[in-house]
Amino acid sequence: MRPIVNDQNSLRNPLNELLGKEAHVRLLRVLATEVDGPLTPSDAAKLAGLTIPGAHKALNRLLKSGIVVRVGGGRRHQYELRRSEELVKALMKLFQSEKGRYEALLSAIKEGIEKVVPYPHSAWIQELPGEFGDPMIMGILHETKHLSSYIHILRKKLHQIEREFDLTIEVNGYTKADLPSLEVDKVTPLYGFLPFPDKHSRDTYAALGTHDQKDQRMLELSHKLAEAIEHDTSLVRRAKEHVQRMLKKDHGLATKDIEEWRDILESYSIRRLSRFLTASSERANRLRQSNPIFAILNPDERRRLLNGLGGSQ
């Protein structure tokens, strides 16, 4: 039986078509929140998790709507949002709100993790909800003697987050002896370095034994971040948004460092920021531990950043 009683036209109700297909939503989300300029169909497909033919087809439909425009010529065609269009401005706010809600959730969980001592070795989101009502599953790696009590206290702190986001959060605790077999790029880091049997994360995790080793490894990461922001300036924009959201809450002694990062991200050019990330000054060393650019990377971006890190000395 047909669920729709009567038809609606695309002029008055364009969102029916624009948001009625998942491929459209995925591509619009990428163009609105993940890049600052045009994208090729292959890059759009990769970022949106679509096949290249599927991305081509969806982009052509969006092109006809006037929401997306094509730039370039020949085989170099790229696509971007028509940002002067009022509907596009509204869609960008919608996707930014969606992104902000998710990042606020992660920030709240991270804050909860960091309020329970002794701190775990690492924490991650093991499984995200597939549908509304499904639980989020977290993983915690801790010492055997602390694991049970840590999870008990953490669960209490997560209750408020569950109520605020209307979400069920399940916590699985692990020791080094019973870690699950997981793929690094299939989980979301929350705290520490992921300890799974992936070469890059394993090497990084194993190297963080002393403060000196940790400082050295963070410096190596910062060199890679400096290269990354020169190739993708949207990372800086995302870090600014992340810092602004963090400053809406009281982070105690960490607030001063967050405010410093806000001032740096707002006032430094890409070139100056790149140099600061790799500087050896006392201030650079101190702020390196709370770098918001590293915090906003998604699992795929983190994996690429860590690629080859174990051998870079």
Side-chain angles (χ1 to χ4, degrees), residues 24-94:
H24 287 184
V25 177
R26 289 187 178 209
L27 288 169
L28 288 171
R29 182 182 291 114
V30 166
L31 292 169
T33 66
E34 296 190 28
V35 296
D36 288 329
L39 277 179
T40 64
S42 60
D43 286 339
K46 181 178 179 181
L47 290 171
L50 301 172
T51 64
I52 293 178
H56 267 290
K57 185 177 180 180
L59 285 168
N60 284 331
R61 288 199 300 264
L62 292 172
L63 189 64
K64 290 179 180 179
S65 74
I67 295 298
V68 167
V69 295
R70 187 161 53 198
V71 297
R75 296 183 178 180
R76 292 184 170 275
H77 276 152
Q78 293 182 307
Y79 297 81
E80 65 180 350
L81 290 175
R82 189 192 297 273
R83 294 177 182 258
S84 60
E85 165 70 47
E86 289 301 316
L87 193 56
V88 170
K89 294 177 183 178
L91 285 172
M92 291 179 67
K93 289 182 180 179
L94 178 65

Side-chain angles (χ1 to χ4, degrees), residues 36-265:
D36 288 329
L39 277 179
T40 64
S42 60
D43 286 339
K46 181 178 179 181
L47 290 171
L50 301 172
T51 64
I52 293 178
H56 267 290
K57 185 177 180 180
L59 285 168
N60 284 331
R61 288 199 300 264
L62 292 172
L63 189 64
K64 290 179 180 179
S65 74
I67 295 298
V68 167
V69 295
R70 187 161 53 198
V71 297
R75 296 183 178 180
R76 292 184 170 275
H77 276 152
Q78 293 182 307
Y79 297 81
E80 65 180 350
L81 290 175
R82 189 192 297 273
R83 294 177 182 258
S84 60
E85 165 70 47
E86 289 301 316
L87 193 56
V88 170
K89 294 177 183 178
L91 285 172
M92 291 179 67
K93 289 182 180 179
L94 178 65
F95 285 118
Q96 288 290 350
S97 296
E98 175 191 61
K99 182 179 179 182
R101 179 181 182 275
Y102 177 66
E103 292 186 354
L105 170 62
L106 296 190
S107 178
I109 294 174
K110 291 175 183 178
E111 184 177 339
I113 291 170
E114 293 172 356
K115 284 185 176 179
V116 185
V117 293
Y119 302 124
H121 292 298
S122 57
W124 60 90
I125 296 176
Q126 196 160 308
E127 186 176 332
L128 288 165
E131 298 181 0
F132 291 122
D134 290 348
M136 170 192 287
I137 301 175
M138 283 177 54
I140 297 287
L141 173 63
H142 216 316
E143 299 295 333
T144 303
K145 62 182 177 180
H146 299 306
L147 183 60
S148 179
S149 60
Y150 182 90
I151 290 179
H152 178 72
I153 298 171
L154 178 62
R155 282 192 176 124
K156 289 185 176 180
K157 293 191 174 295
L158 293 176
H159 286 167
Q160 178 58 38
I161 299 173
E162 291 179 310
R163 287 194 293 270
E164 181 180 349
F165 289 89
D166 193 22
L167 172 69
T168 299
I169 304 175
E170 297 180 1
V171 183
N172 293 338
Y174 303 99
T175 65
K176 292 180 180 179
D178 61 5
L179 276 171
S181 178
L182 296 172
E183 297 180 34
V184 172
D185 58 354
K186 297 295 177 63
V187 301
T188 302
L190 293 171
Y191 183 87
F193 284 88
L194 297 179
F196 306 122
D198 166 272
K199 179 182 183 300
H200 312 306
S201 292
R202 184 180 64 237
D203 290 348
T204 302
Y205 179 75
L208 300 179
T210 68
H211 287 297
D212 288 344
Q213 289 172 322
K214 183 176 180 179
D215 288 344
Q216 177 60 28
R217 197 62 59 173
M218 289 303 296
L219 180 58
E220 293 176 24
L221 283 171
S222 295
H223 275 282
K224 285 184 169 286
L225 278 178
E227 295 175 4
I229 63 171
E230 291 176 358
H231 288 92
D232 183 1
T233 57
S234 71
L235 294 174
V236 178
R237 171 180 55 77
R238 288 160 54 190
K240 289 179 184 178
E241 294 169 355
H242 174 70
V243 167
Q244 291 296 341
R245 282 190 293 273
M246 290 187 69
L247 287 175
K248 291 180 181 178
K249 295 184 178 181
D250 182 14
H251 291 272
L253 295 175
T255 300
K256 182 177 181 295
D257 286 350
I258 299 171
E259 290 175 341
E260 282 194 70
W261 271 116
R262 176 198 59 195
D263 296 341
I264 289 169
L265 293 170

